[in-house]
Structures are given as C-alpha cells and as structure tokens.
Amino acid sequence: MRYGRSPTHAVRAPGRVNLIGEHIDYHGLPVMPFAIDRAVTVLLAPSLAGSGAGRVRIANSASDLVGDDFRLFEPIVPLGGGDWRNYPRAAAKALAEHESSEMICTRGVDALVASDLPTGAGLSSSSALVVGVGLALAHVNGLETDRMAFAARMARAERFVGTEGGGMDQAACMLSRDRHVSLLSFEPLSVEYLRFPEELSVLVADSGDVAEKSGSVRVAYNERRASGASALVAVAAAVGYAGASFAELLTAFDARELLEAAAGVLAGNFGDDVGEGRGLRRFRHVVTEARRVANAREALVNGDAERLGALLTASHASLRDDYEVSTPSLDELVEVALHAGALGARLTGAGFGGAAIALVNAADEEAVRAALEVVAGADAVMSARPSGGATVRAL
Ligand code: NG1
C-alpha cells in the first residue's frame, strides 16, 4: 500500500447514475438512482496503536494529488475549495464527533484511495469517496454500520465541503442492489427496489465539462436549493399551508393546483431573483419532476419502456429550461442520443457540466453508443449496469 503497511481490508464504494428525480432530493422528494460498476476503492490498515492511534493518513493513487495527514482528536478543518482531501476529512469529522460515545471513531487509518470513476462527471465520485473513507474508519473502530443510518450520516457529513446536498448519492452508494434501481424517499430515508428490465441499457456520456462541486459550482447549486425553498414558502402560504414541505403540499394538492397558485405569487421578480418568473420556473421544475418520478415508478412496474424514456427526456427539458442547470454540451449529447434512437435521455447528477445518460433498448445500444462517441469521444461513453452498494472485504 503506502506508509510501509500492508492493507488488511478493501472498501469498495460505487458511484451512481440517477435515472430520474434531479435536484429534488434536497427538497425532500423521492429520486431514483442506481449504483454503477465503477467505484472508489480504499485499501486500509488501522493506524498503529500508541500515540499515533488517532492519526489518519490518506494517499491517492492519482499521481498529481497530494496525500493527507490529520488527527481525529484535533479540529478537522476544510482546505481550499476543490481540494480532494476535503471529502475524506468530511467523513472523518462526522465520525469523530457525535453526542453518543458509541458512535465515535477514535482509531485512525492508513489508507490508499484509488478510483475508476471520472471526477466531476455527475457520477457521484465525491460521495463515493466520503462513504469509502467513512466505511474504512467505521470498520477499524468496530462501529455498527446500519446501512440506512450510515447513509444519512454520510449525507450530513458531506455538507462539510460547503454544498447543501440532499441525501441521494450517499444512499445510492450504501443501499443499491444489483439489477435494481432504488426509489429513495427522505425524511426519514427509505428505499423501494424496482427491478431494472434486462432488455434495457443505460449509456453514460461524459460531456468533458467538469462540474467540481466543492469548487465554483457550489454557489450555483446552493442558489437552486435556496430559490426552490423560498418559492415553497410563498406558495405554501398562498394555498393556506404555511410552513408545509414540498411533500406535504404534493399530498394535499395536485400539481396543477400548485402551479396555478405559484403562477399567482411567483410570476414576476421573486426575492433575490432577477429574471422574469425565475422563482416560478424553479418551483415548476420541482413539482413536475416529483410527478415524473412517480410516473417513472409506474412505467418501470408496468414494463413501459417508451413511457420511461419520454419521462427522462421531459426531465431534461425541465432541468434545461426551468432549473437552468444544463449546458450546451449536455443538450447536444441528449439530442444526439435521441436522434440515434434512444428511448429517452437527460443530464444526470447536478448538471453544470458532467454527464448525460441515454436509456436504450439493448438492440439499439451500439447505434446510440456510436453516435455519442462521435460527439464525446470513445473514452467518454460507457454503459452503466445497475450494481450493488458499498462493501468491506478482508484481504
Ligand atoms: P452530484 O451529481 O454528485 O453533484 C448533487 C447532490 C445530490 C443531488 C444532485 C442533483 C451532493 C453530494 N450531491 O449530485 O444530492 O442533489 O446533485 O439531483 O451534494
């Protein structure tokens, strides 16, 4: 490994594709990701007993990335924006601090991190790193890792990097099941597994525009969350449900009623928003995306691939026009995939760069792949098979 140690265990923490349900996890609404067969691997050995027992040393197999060295007993502070070491630190900080002493990690690790996940591609390499290091620390401390509770803890942990993320990525990493997509609900976190049809494939095409969330994209991401939240406050008050969550409003009213109410209170300039109707468009994305997730569940259960594809494409249009998180390269990938015969296509993950996915009948996979490769390059296209969640293995 490094540090003159042999690893005792290997943690494998996969990345994910989000099939549908984008930018709504942090509004407490269900989303539908699956883990892919690419992952962050953490080779680890417990730190040596004695005065260095709480020391965490982490090297990265990427040669241009400098390693980290800190102690669990000392304040764990973030480094500059965009620094990869903030993710292991996020996990360590959350595990070194807890009101219950049984939930605290005191033993450090020597670890080597490697990854075959592209970074900044919307495939959740950051959460895979957080969960991977978190599991390494939990393991050497003999901490009970109820998967659900651990996913929620790692979701809170990752906010250390400054992004007010939802819980989708960490939950996908911890809870995914081979050949299934996970319909995740939040507050509290729960999962329903839906079998992914054998005859369908998902292609992922990386636009090459890096969306580094601990860097510049953080501000844009947090703005989306904040403007969605303020739109919610205004609409909830307008329909006589002041203080209600999106989930509560969507239970009490149908989407059309909510959008009518929203048109009344959000049509013009709204809060700090400058553009005409921006608040309304943000709100409309959240409400319509929630409905698309529910419809996608139905389409999967009924084996209606055409409908599922159409929902993905509609999701992309909403993310492009109403939530404004797409880019010209992502729009182009979506158009190319659809033109080549995909059932549906959309950006996946936060957007602002990163990857697009295409849902295809297995019979059309090669044609769509070839078309995407022309635009993105052969190395930038891969197929994503719904795979199992994170594992810890003795070596
Ligand atoms: P990615 O694609 O990893 O940047 C982010 C958030 C998710 C979710 C999506 C948008 C984190 C760790 N991840 O994902 O929670 O909000 O954007 O749907 O913040």
Side-chain angles (χ1 to χ4, degrees), residues 11-346:
V11 176
R12 190 172 185 283
R16 61 102 188 91
V17 151
N18 186 18
L19 189 61
I20 195 161
E22 214 63 83
H23 282 281
I24 60 171
D25 61 341
Y26 53 75
H27 290 311
L29 294 169
V31 298
M32 209 184 272
F34 60 83
I36 60 177
D37 50 8
R38 294 219 190 182
V40 166
T41 301
V42 183
L43 297 175
L44 67 115
S47 57
L48 295 170
S51 61
R55 189 172 181 189
V56 176
R57 292 189 292 185
I58 306 192
N60 195 313
S61 69
S63 55
D64 55 332
L65 294 177
V66 57
D68 207 357
D69 187 348
F70 57 92
R71 283 166 202 275
L72 293 173
F73 307 114
E74 290 167 7
I76 300 172
V77 293
L79 303 166
D83 195 314
W84 80 276
R85 295 172 294 179
N86 285 332
Y87 296 103
R89 284 180 177 227
K93 189 175 174 67
L95 292 170
E97 295 168 4
H98 199 276
E99 51 282 8
S100 147
S101 59
E102 288 116 71
M103 303 287 280
I104 288 185
C105 291
T106 51
R107 189 71 176 260
V109 281
D110 286 334
L112 173 64
V113 169
S115 173
D116 63 356
L117 275 167
T119 53
L123 300 179
S124 194
S125 59
S126 64
S127 299
L129 182 53
V130 172
V131 170
V133 172
L135 282 174
L137 282 167
H139 177 78
V140 301
N141 284 274
L143 204 72
E144 220 20 76
T145 44
D146 166 73
R147 285 189 169 259
M148 204 71 86
F150 196 74
R153 195 165 172 189
M154 290 300 101
R156 290 192 296 277
E158 196 169 331
R159 299 201 181 121
F160 174 79
V161 307
T163 309
E164 292 296 313
M168 167 169 70
D169 300 346
Q170 302 80 2
C173 186
M174 283 303 291
L175 303 175
S176 285
R177 191 178 273 182
D178 197 31
R179 293 164 199 263
H180 289 77
V181 299
S182 301
L183 178 59
L184 298 172
S185 300
F186 301 97
E187 299 161 18
L189 181 61
S190 66
V191 58
E192 178 189 359
Y193 294 107
L194 300 163
R195 182 125 190 133
F196 190 75
E198 299 285 342
E199 64 281 10
L200 297 183
S201 300
V202 173
L203 289 170
V204 180
D206 189 350
S207 71
D209 299 340
V210 174
E212 175 45 78
K213 261 200 310 46
S214 82
S216 59
V217 167
R218 186 175 60 194
V219 176
Y221 180 93
N222 289 343
E223 182 279 326
R224 297 305 185 282
R225 181 179 181 133
S227 60
S230 24
L232 168 67
V233 170
V235 177
V239 295
Y241 270 59
S245 65
F246 272 108
E248 285 162 347
L249 282 193
L250 284 162
T251 309
F253 300 91
D254 65 32
R256 194 184 38 79
E257 291 171 307
L258 291 177
L259 293 175
E260 269 168 27
V265 284
L266 302 175
N269 286 348
F270 175 71
D272 294 333
D273 292 337
V274 254
E276 172 86 13
R278 192 186 284 177
L280 173 60
R281 284 182 289 122
R282 298 283 194 264
F283 185 85
R284 186 166 57 204
H285 168 72
V286 176
V287 167
T288 58
E289 186 76 350
R291 192 170 50 185
R292 283 185 288 272
V293 171
N295 291 342
R297 177 189 180 281
E298 215 178 88
L300 268 174
V301 169
N302 297 334
D304 189 343
E306 299 275 337
R307 175 126 193 266
L308 184 61
L311 289 164
L312 263 62
T313 306
S315 168
H316 183 77
S318 179
L319 289 160
R320 181 191 59 212
D321 302 335
D322 279 353
Y323 225 59
E324 296 177 290
V325 295
S326 189
T327 63
S329 321
L330 287 168
D331 294 342
E332 185 186 10
L333 289 171
V334 166
E335 286 308 316
V336 164
L338 292 173
H339 191 71
L343 293 160
R346 58 184 290 276

Side-chain angles (χ1 to χ4, degrees), residues 349-361:
F352 311 108
I357 55 167
L359 182 74
V360 293
N361 276 313

